[in-house]
């Protein structure tokens, strides 16, 4: 692995563009002042892998729905209907997502770790910060696998055209005039500013947009309302499983809205299937020994080093790395113990000379469109660092 040290972006600059979560609790910078050097071939391999994986997820999604495997995936029962409805109607467009991958920069094969399909983090970092880091160091800012900003702009247009051709957007939008409301929870600057970045991109794409915290949004049989306006589209940076567990009445209301064609929600409810780590067991059943996959089961794997994690868990919580002799290598606690466990074959992440581990994140918006990395320990958590890249 080759790392290139750079002059860091100042906190004042990061604050000025709305990236205010730049310093971790231990007062160290969340953004690494170095980038990983990769080759054009490595960038292309990440691109091809993410595209192939997305096609596999879509085929497996059909299989899950046809066979009613929602319980296996730990999907809350009160979201099953809205998942089915959003899957069957093309207007429920998948806006963006992120694949977490091992390998790819160390001569080892790329392997899927999980798919953040509903509310992926690191969007601001990947689309804006790593690009700005190159620019600030007088490097070619286009020398990255990073088209996330433009890919999102085009994909916003596709929620109107429902087509690869985004040139029809203005014609269709002039006739429809549909508006998008963007919502996050209050009190989280990261969630809010990430949501506002997406709102800015949608506005640039040509939409009439607005923002409101979710606790101030009104939901009824007639649709979604905020700031004395009704909205046909709603983007929420709130996980679907949280809505199901914490806001069961809202889950029912949103289901009725989708059924009655009163609103379209991003990301769609079916992305919760993809988000479930249990989905990787379905993939392994359908594509056994596929070179991009790791063996995954709902039962412990025999005689193999493996990772135990929860179908719905975040930031490395409730995760164990279990050695082949069943001893525990490392484990974390957390608030997701109540969710179903899966067992995934262990694979080493690339390491630098200091022993830090690196996981690749490839964003997908209609196609694979950007790469970034996270650096940390064997189990990446909320203290992991974001590391950009440059193509040599």
């Amino acid at each position: 692995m080759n790392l290139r040290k750079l002059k860091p972006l100042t906190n004042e600059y990061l604050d000025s563009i709305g990236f205010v979560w730049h310093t971790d609790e231990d007062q160290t910078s969340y953004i690494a002042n170095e980038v990983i050097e990769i080759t054009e071939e490595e960038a292309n391999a990440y691109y091809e892998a993410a595209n192939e994986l997305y096609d596999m997820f879509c085929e497996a999604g059909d299989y899950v729905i046809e066979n009613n495997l929602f319980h296996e995936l730990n999907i809350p029962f009160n979201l099953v209907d809205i998942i089915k409805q959003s899957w069957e109607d093309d207007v429920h467009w998948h806006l963006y997502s992120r694949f977490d991958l091992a390998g790819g920069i160390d001569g080892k094969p790329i392997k899927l770790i999980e798919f953040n399909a509903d509310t992926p983090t690191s969007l601001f970092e990947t689309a804006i910060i790593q690009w700005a880091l190159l620019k600030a160091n007088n490097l070619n800012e286009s020398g990255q696998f990073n088209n996330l900003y433009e890919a999102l702009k085009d994909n916003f247009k596709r929620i109107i055209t429902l087509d690869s051709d985004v040139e029809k957007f203005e014609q269709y939008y002039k006739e429809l005039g549909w508006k998008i409301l963007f919502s996050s929870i209050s009190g989280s600057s990261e969630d809010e500013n990430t949501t506002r970045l997406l709102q800015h991109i949608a506005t640039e794409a040509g939409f009439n947009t607005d923002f409101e915290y979710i606790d101030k949004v009104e939901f009824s049989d007639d649709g979604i309302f905020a700031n004395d306006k009704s909205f046909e589209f709603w983007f929420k940076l709130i996980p679907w499983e949280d809505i199901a567990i914490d806001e069961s009445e809202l889950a029912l209301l949103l289901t009725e809205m989708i059924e009655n064609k009163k609103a379209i929600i991003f990301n769609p409810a079916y992305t919760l299937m993809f988000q479930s780590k249990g989905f990787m067991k379905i993939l392994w059943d359908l594509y056994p020994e596929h070179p991009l996959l790791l063996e995954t089961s709902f039962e412990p794997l025999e005689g193999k080093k493996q990772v135990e994690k929860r179908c719905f868990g975040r930031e490395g919580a409730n995760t164990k790395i279990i050695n082949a002799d069943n001893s525990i290598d490392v484990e974390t606690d957390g608030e997701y113990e109540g969710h179903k466990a899966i067992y995934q074959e262990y694979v080493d992440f690339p390491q630098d000379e200091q022993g830090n581990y690196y996981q690749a994140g490839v964003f997908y918006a209609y196609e694979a469109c950007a790469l970034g990395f996270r650096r940390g320990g064997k189990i990446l958590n909320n203290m992991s660092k974001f590391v950009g890249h440059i193509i040599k």
Side-chain angles (χ1 to χ4, degrees):
M1 180 190 304
N2 295 315
L3 290 166
R4 183 188 296 192
K5 209 162 193 70
L6 300 178
K7 178 183 69 176
L9 299 169
T10 66
N11 289 348
E12 291 74 20
Y13 171 77
L14 294 171
D15 286 337
S16 73
I17 62 172
F19 189 78
V20 296
W21 57 100
H22 47 66
T23 303
D24 284 328
E25 291 178 3
D26 61 0
Q27 300 307 305
T28 60
S29 176
Y30 163 53
I31 304 297
N33 65 337
E34 50 200 359
V35 291
I36 297 174
E37 293 183 336
I38 67 170
T39 65
E40 191 76 45
E41 291 75 18
E42 288 168 334
N44 287 336
Y46 281 125
Y47 172 80
E48 296 294 344
N51 288 336
E52 182 173 357
L53 284 167
Y54 195 83
D55 289 343
M56 292 160 63
F57 268 81
C58 289
E59 290 184 22
D62 278 331
Y63 179 81
V64 167
I65 288 176
E66 287 169 6
N67 293 278
N68 276 308
L69 300 179
F70 301 102
H71 180 69
E72 284 198 39
L73 299 184
N74 205 199
I75 300 288
F77 73 93
N78 57 349
L79 291 182
V80 170
D81 286 345
I82 194 172
I83 287 172
K84 289 180 177 179
Q85 290 166 21
S86 65
W87 183 260
E88 290 164 3
D89 192 337
D90 288 342
V91 301
H92 301 283
W93 198 260
H94 194 177
L95 187 59
Y96 77 117
S97 51
R98 191 193 77 235
F99 288 99
D100 287 343
L101 306 168
I105 57 171
D106 55 355
K108 293 182 180 179
I110 294 170
K111 296 287 185 180
L112 173 67
I113 300 300
E114 57 196 51
F115 188 25
N116 299 275
D118 178 18
T119 53
T121 56
S122 301
L123 184 141
F124 207 124
E125 298 92 304
T126 303
I128 305 294
I129 302 302
Q130 65 170 342
W131 170 86
L133 189 59
L134 294 191
K135 189 173 179 64
N137 282 268
N138 298 314
L139 296 169
N140 179 11
E141 63 266 25
S142 65
Q144 292 181 335
F145 170 26
N146 186 9
N147 188 41
L148 181 51
Y149 194 99
E150 292 300 323
L152 280 166
K153 191 188 294 187
D154 283 347
N155 225 21
F156 272 114
K157 293 178 180 179
R158 289 190 187 96
I159 69 179
I160 294 293
T161 68
L162 299 177
D163 197 306
S164 60
D165 182 6
V166 298
E167 299 302 320
K168 303 173 185 175
F169 170 77
E170 288 188 14
Q171 170 195 340
Y172 290 177
Y173 186 70
K174 191 177 292 185
E175 297 172 6
L176 298 169
W178 288 347
K179 304 177 291 296
I180 310 179
L181 176 66
F182 288 80
S183 297
S184 68
I185 60 170
S186 58
S188 170
S189 57
E190 180 177 355
D191 284 3
E192 178 178 341
N193 286 357
T194 298
T195 304
R196 288 186 182 276
L197 172 61
L198 285 161
Q199 180 191 0
H200 177 77
I201 295 171
T203 304
E204 276 198 0
F207 279 94
N208 184 0
T209 71
D210 206 341
F211 175 91
E212 188 54 272
Y213 299 116
I214 187 171
D215 58 316
K216 295 182 179 178
V217 179
E218 297 177 21
F219 303 92
S220 76
D221 294 339
D222 294 324
I224 297 173
F225 301 85
N227 304 324
D228 299 321
K229 289 177 281 188
S230 64
F231 294 87
E232 294 78 16
F233 295 125
W234 183 44
F235 174 88
K236 45 131 205 89
L237 198 64
I238 298 109
W240 273 108
E241 71 269 23
D242 287 359
I243 292 175
I245 295 167
D246 301 329
E247 301 287 347
S248 58
E249 289 186 12
L250 177 58
L252 178 61
L253 201 51
L254 293 176
T255 301
E256 292 172 353
M257 284 184 206
I258 296 299
E259 184 176 353
N260 296 325
K261 303 187 184 303
K262 294 294 185 179
I264 297 170
I265 303 167
F266 305 105
N267 274 314
Y270 65 74
T271 60
L272 187 61
M273 290 192 301
F274 297 168
Q275 182 88 19
S276 170
K277 297 175 182 65
F279 201 91
M280 292 178 292
K281 192 269 184 186
I282 306 297
L283 285 175
W284 186 256
D285 289 346
L286 296 178
Y287 304 96
E289 308 298 335
H290 190 284
L292 291 172
L293 300 180
L294 295 166
E295 182 180 359
T296 306
S297 174
F298 292 131
E299 303 296 332
L301 304 174
E302 292 187 11
K304 286 186 176 182
K305 190 170 185 176
Q306 59 199 280
V307 181
E308 177 189 323
K309 46 192 175 182
R310 303 292 149 172
C311 281
F312 297 108
R314 295 170 187 272
E315 297 180 334
N318 302 105
T319 299
K320 292 180 188 176
I321 297 178
I322 305 170
N323 295 315
D325 63 2
N326 290 325
S327 62
I328 304 299
D329 183 354
V330 61
E331 65 179 312
T332 61
D333 58 13
E335 59 188 54
Y336 304 103
E337 191 68 31
H339 289 291
K340 185 176 182 177
I342 66 146
Y343 300 85
Q344 184 183 57
E345 179 184 354
Y346 177 83
V347 63
D348 281 318
F349 287 155
Q351 284 182 269
D352 61 22
E353 292 179 353
Q354 286 72 45
N356 298 306
Y357 293 86
Y358 291 77
Q359 177 181 271
V362 177
F363 273 88
Y364 188 97
Y366 193 71
E367 64 178 346
C369 57
L371 170 69
F373 292 89
R374 291 174 68 205
R375 175 172 72 196
K378 281 186 177 179
I379 299 175
L380 297 173
N381 57 29
N382 62 353
M383 293 297 285
S384 301
K385 307 301 184 183
F386 179 82
V387 186
H389 74 284
I390 188 170
I391 296 175
K392 293 184 286 188

